[in-house]
Amino acid sequence: MMVRYHLLRLWREFKGEILVLPGRSILFFGAVTLFLLPLASSHPYLLRVVSLACIFAIFAASWDLLSGFVGQLNLGHALFFGVAAYTSGLLNLHLGWPPLVTIPLGAVAAVLTGLAVGIPCLRLKGPYLSLATLAFPVILMGLILMFTEFTGGELGVPGLDRLAPTRLHEYYVVATCAVVFILLIWKVTDSKLGIIFHAIREDEVAARASGINTPMYKILAFCLSGLFAGLAGGLYAHFMRIAGPSTLSMLTSFQVIIWTIFGGIATVHGAVVGVFILFPAVEVLRVAPEFRMLGYAVLIILVLRFMPEGVAPWVTDRLERECPRCKEHNAFTRRDCRVCGTPLRVPLARGVPVRGEGVGAGGRGGAVAG
Amino acid sequence: MVGDILVNTLINTGVYAMLAVGFSLMFGVARLINLAHTAFYMLAGYSIFFFITRMGLPWLPSVLLSILIVVVVAVVSYKALIDPMRERETTVLILTIALALVLQEVMLILFGGYFRSVPSALSGYSTILGVRVTNQYLLTLGVVAVTLVAVWLLLMRTKLGLAIRATAQDREIANVMGMCDSRTATVTVAIAAALAGVAGAVVAPLYILEPRIWLPPLTIVLAIAVLGGLGSLKGSLLGAVIIALSESLVVFLVPQGSFFKGAFSLGVMILVLLIRPEGLYGVAFEEER
C-alpha cells in the first residue's frame, strides 16, 4: 500500500512538474535518451562523442553559473578546467591514485584556484574583470611550457588511468556524473542563493543596499563554478587519458562561452543544450574537413543573428507561454493558466492573440554592464 | 644588449600601440569588446601578401588596397552583425569570436595553412646604437609614428575627433548634444579597423604569416588596452610601452623567455589592475543602465 501510494505521488509530481511543460519534457526525455542510447547503438565513436559532450555540458553549465547568473563574465574559464585536469593527471601519474580520488582532488585544486582568482578580481568590474580573467590561463600555460620536466610541456601528461574498464562503463560514469552535477548546478541556481546571484548581476549596488554581502557571494560563485568546472576537467583528463596544454588554451575558454550563449545564457539547461547541439555538429561537419570550422562559425553567427537569446529560450518562447497574472509557465496548447485559470489568449479588438512575455526576455542578455 | 632591448621595444610598442588604440577606441565609442580585432590585422597581412605576390602590384598600392579591404569587411560586419545586437553584450562577444574564426578559416581555405612571408618593401639595413636594424624595421617605425600622430590629430583637432571622444566619455549626453552615436560608432569602427590594417600591412614583412597569427597578439592587445584603461588613448600608448618593454626584457634576459613573454606581460597587467582597478588612465565608468 505504502509503495503504491508513493509511486502514485511520484507519478503525480512527475506529471504536474515535468510533463505539463514542453520544455521540461524535452529535457527529461533527453536525459532518458542519454541513458538508453547504448542500447540502440554502442558504436565506440558515437559513445565517445556523447561522453565528451556530457563532460563539456558540466563545464558549460559551470560557466553559466558564474557568468550567466552572477554576471562575472569570465573569459578564462579554461583555467579551472586545466588546473583540475593537470592536478588529477599529475596525481594519477606520479602517485598512482585512482580516478575516484584524483578527480575530487582536482576539483579541490580548481576551487582553490577560484579563490585565488576571485579575491583579487573582486575590485574589478565589467570588461576589466573579463579581460583580467582571460589572462590567468595564459599565465599558467606559460608556466607549464617553462617547467617542461614536471608538466610535460607541449605533450602534456599522458598515460593516465581509464575512468572505467570499458568504453560502455566509461560512458555510464560520465553520463551519470553529467546528470547529477548539472542537476546540482540547477538546484543552486533555483535556490535562495540563485536569487542572490541574480540580484548581484542585475544591480550590485542595490543588492548591497539590501544587506547582501556581495563580495562573499561573488567569491562563493567563483568557488562553486570552479568546483564543477574542476570536476569536468578531471573527468576529461581521465577520459582522454591525457592532460595537455590544450585544456588551458584560449580556444577552450572561448568554446565554453560559445556553447553557453548559443544555447541560452543564465538558464543552465541552455548551456547543456548548446553543448549537445554544437559539439556533435562539429563532428558531423567532419564530412568536409576544410570547411569544418568555417561551417561552425557561420552556423553560430546565423543562429545568433535570428535567435539572439540563444536556442533554448527561443524554443521555450515558442512552446510555452507565461501567465500574465501569476507568471507561471504554461504549454502553448493551453487556453487558460494551469495555476490560476486566467485566460492566456485574450483576443484583442482586431482579433490578434496576445502572446505572453517570453521566458528569455528582459535583461538576460545584458548580463554585463559596459 | 641594451640597444637590442631598446630597438625591439620601440618597434613592438609601435605595432601594439596601433592595435591597442583601435581596440580601445572601439570599446570606448561602440562599447564593443572586439575579439576579432587582431583578425583584421591578420586579414590585412594576407591581403597584402595576395596583392604583392599573386597580383604583382607594387608595395604602396597593395598596402592601400588591403587597408581598404579591412575597413570594408569591418564596417560591413559591424553593421550587419554587431550593431543589431548591441543590447546583448555576451552575444556580441561571441559574434566577434565567430567572426574571427570565419576570417581565419577563409584565409586557411584561400591560402592554405602554410607559413607565408611577404617580401620587404625596403632591403638592406642600417646600424643604430650598435644594433643592426633592417630598413624595413625603420620603415615600420616611420609608418607607425606617422599613423599615430595622424590619429592623435584627428581625435584632438577635428570635430569628428571631438564627437568620438565625447561619445566615449558619455554616450547618452553626446547623443543629447546632437552627435549621432551610431554614426560615430561606425566611423570609429572604420578608424580602428584601418589602424589594424596599417599594423598588419607594415608588420607582415617582419613576421611569418599564418591564419592563426591573430591569437597571440590578441591577448597582448587586450592586456594593453586594459592596462592603460579602456577607451583612453593616452593609456593605450603608455600600456603599449610598458608591455613591449617587459616583453623585450623577458625575451632578452630570461633563458627560454620567449615561451614566457605573453604570460609575463599579462602578469604585469594583473599587477597594475590590482593597484588601479580601472587601468592607468581609465575613467571610472558611469553607471549605464
Side-chain angles (χ1 to χ4, degrees):
Chain A
M1 266 324 259
M2 273 310 271
V3 176
R4 196 161 159 249
Y5 167 74
H6 279 293
L7 278 179
L8 216 64
R9 227 185 98 181
L10 204 67
W11 165 246
R12 212 173 285 152
E13 290 259 305
F14 173 69
K15 219 170 81 176
E17 288 296 322
I18 293 174
L19 287 185
V20 284
L21 290 177
R24 284 188 192 167
S25 319
I26 292 172
L27 290 177
F28 177 77
F29 287 110
V32 171
T33 321
L34 192 63
F35 284 103
L36 298 183
L37 184 71
L39 298 180
S41 153
S42 56
H43 195 277
Y45 177 65
L46 179 75
L47 290 191
R48 185 190 151 86
V49 170
V50 180
S51 310
L52 281 176
C54 285
I55 293 174
F56 287 131
I58 306 173
F59 185 37
S62 77
W63 186 80
D64 202 17
L65 179 65
L66 178 61
S67 304
F69 282 88
V70 197
Q72 308 289 303
L73 194 66
N74 184 351
L75 292 187
H77 207 58
L79 177 70
F80 302 136
F81 196 71
V83 163
Y86 267 98
T87 313
S88 324
L90 290 172
L91 285 176
N92 184 256
L93 196 70
H94 292 299
L95 301 178
W97 291 353
L100 200 61
V101 181
T102 58
I103 293 176
L105 282 179
V108 169
V111 170
L112 294 179
T113 321
L115 270 181
V117 174
I119 292 175
C121 284
L122 278 179
R123 294 184 67 194
L124 306 180
K125 267 193 205 123
Y128 289 98
L129 176 86
S130 319
L131 299 178
T133 48
L134 178 74
F136 288 102
V138 181
I139 294 176
L140 190 62
M141 176 101 97
L143 288 174
I144 280 171
L145 294 184
M146 253 185 112
F147 300 101
T148 31
E149 64 278 7
F150 183 60
T151 58
E154 297 267 0
L155 299 176
V157 188
L160 308 181
D161 286 350
R162 301 184 71 132
L163 272 177
T166 68
R167 252 304 154 216
L168 194 64
H169 282 97
E170 275 185 334
Y171 175 83
Y172 274 111
V173 169
V174 170
T176 317
C177 284
V179 171
V180 170
F181 294 152
I182 290 164
L183 277 179
L184 275 176
I185 295 176
W186 173 77
K187 204 64 203 157
V188 168
T189 61
D190 200 41
S191 62
K192 192 183 158 209
L193 195 59
I195 296 173
I196 292 174
F197 285 168
H198 268 294
I200 293 177
R201 183 193 66 205
E202 292 297 334
D203 197 330
E204 202 184 324
V205 179
R208 267 182 112 140
S210 320
I212 294 171
N213 185 353
T214 52
M216 196 197 83
Y217 281 103
K218 277 197 210 166
I219 293 177
L220 184 64
F222 266 100
C223 291
L224 271 178
S225 175
L227 172 72
F228 289 108
L231 288 169
L235 282 174
Y236 180 81
H238 283 285
F239 184 79
M240 299 299 280
R241 306 184 65 197
I242 182 167
S246 72
T247 53
L248 278 171
S249 77
M250 218 197 289
L251 281 179
T252 310
S253 302
F254 287 170
Q255 277 294 6
V256 66
I257 304 173
I258 291 175
W259 287 326
T260 310
I261 297 175
F262 182 89
I265 195 170
T267 53
V268 180
H269 64 269
V272 178
V273 169
V275 174
F276 274 92
I277 293 174
L278 284 182
F279 191 71
V282 176
E283 297 298 321
V284 171
L285 286 171
R286 268 185 209 281
V287 288
E290 62 268 41
F291 296 107
R292 186 169 149 227
M293 285 308 284
L294 183 64
Y296 181 64
V298 170
L299 175 77
I300 294 163
I301 290 181
L302 284 183
V303 168
L304 282 180
R305 185 65 185 74
F306 296 105
M307 311 175 190
E309 299 283 356
V311 173
W314 188 84
V315 171
T316 23
D317 262 8
R318 297 292 169 285
L319 292 181
E320 290 173 13
R321 191 162 295 139
E322 196 178 54
C323 170
R325 191 161 138 217
C326 62
K327 305 293 175 208
E328 282 291 332
H329 284 240
N330 289 284
F332 69 103
T333 44
R334 291 189 68 97
R335 301 191 143 269
D336 45 6
C337 177
R338 68 193 160 97
V339 179
C340 62
T342 315
L344 289 173
R345 267 173 279 186
V346 187
L348 286 180
R350 294 158 90 193
V352 186
V354 177
R355 278 207 321 110
E357 248 201 22
V359 199
R364 279 231 166 114
V368 246
Chain B
M1 187 68 131
V2 177
D4 275 325
I5 293 177
L6 277 182
V7 169
N8 213 303
T9 306
L10 210 57
I11 286 164
N12 282 343
T13 304
V15 175
Y16 290 161
M18 286 216 289
L19 287 172
V21 164
F23 179 85
S24 190
L25 271 182
M26 223 189 264
F27 177 80
V29 177
R31 291 291 182 276
L32 167 65
I33 298 183
N34 180 17
L35 296 178
H37 194 64
T38 49
F40 292 144
Y41 149 91
M42 183 235 358
L43 177 65
Y46 266 99
S47 13
I48 196 170
F49 167 77
F50 173 76
F51 286 123
I52 289 185
T53 60
R54 298 279 169 88
M55 307 280 285
L57 289 180
W59 189 73
L60 194 63
S62 354
V63 168
L64 293 180
L65 274 176
S66 27
I67 294 172
L68 188 70
I69 286 181
V70 171
V71 170
V72 168
V73 168
V75 170
V76 167
S77 44
Y78 175 72
K79 273 295 178 194
L81 290 177
I82 311 294
D83 202 31
M85 299 286 147
R86 62 190 297 174
E87 297 304 318
R88 300 184 172 83
E89 284 163 53
T90 41
T91 308
V92 166
L93 189 72
I94 77 160
L95 279 177
T96 61
I97 301 176
L99 185 62
L101 281 178
V102 166
L103 288 177
Q104 172 192 316
E105 290 305 306
V106 168
M107 292 304 128
L108 205 59
I109 290 166
L110 288 182
F111 298 100
Y114 315 109
F115 294 117
R116 307 285 194 174
S117 59
V118 176
S120 312
L122 296 174
S123 54
Y125 59 85
S126 332
T127 311
I128 302 170
L129 294 173
V131 187
R132 271 189 185 183
V133 187
T134 58
N135 285 339
Q136 178 68 31
Y137 270 105
L138 292 180
L139 176 71
T140 306
L141 268 184
V143 173
V144 167
V146 169
T147 318
L148 285 178
V149 169
V151 171
W152 186 267
L153 288 180
L154 175 77
L155 286 177
M156 294 301 169
R157 291 278 181 273
T158 63
K159 254 188 156 169
L160 176 67
L162 190 65
I164 289 176
R165 283 184 295 141
T167 314
Q169 260 181 16
D170 194 324
R171 192 167 45 182
E172 272 170 28
I173 299 297
N175 224 346
V176 170
M177 292 299 169
M179 296 160 214
C180 173
D181 72 334
S182 80
R183 203 187 310 146
T184 317
T186 314
V187 172
T188 312
V189 167
I191 293 174
L195 282 174
V198 175
V202 293
V203 162
L206 307 181
Y207 298 127
I208 286 163
L209 208 53
E210 197 248 334
R212 282 171 209 281
I213 52 160
W214 62 279
L215 262 181
L218 179 62
T219 39
I220 304 294
V221 168
L222 296 181
I224 292 169
V226 168
L227 177 68
L230 285 164
S232 151
L233 202 59
K234 233 188 307 178
S236 302
L237 291 177
L238 190 61
V241 176
I242 294 174
I243 296 286
L245 183 64
S246 50
E247 248 187 17
S248 309
L249 285 177
V250 169
V251 170
F252 283 104
L253 299 182
V254 180
Q256 282 197 315
S258 53
F259 276 129
F260 199 61
K261 65 175 187 186
F264 186 76
S265 34
L266 290 175
V268 171
M269 171 193 92
I270 287 179
L271 266 184
V272 172
L273 279 188
L274 289 184
I275 300 162
R276 276 189 67 88
E278 65 284 329
L280 292 175
Y281 285 101
V283 271
F285 277 94
E286 84 270 26
E287 280 291 307
E288 282 183 76
R289 297 190 193 211

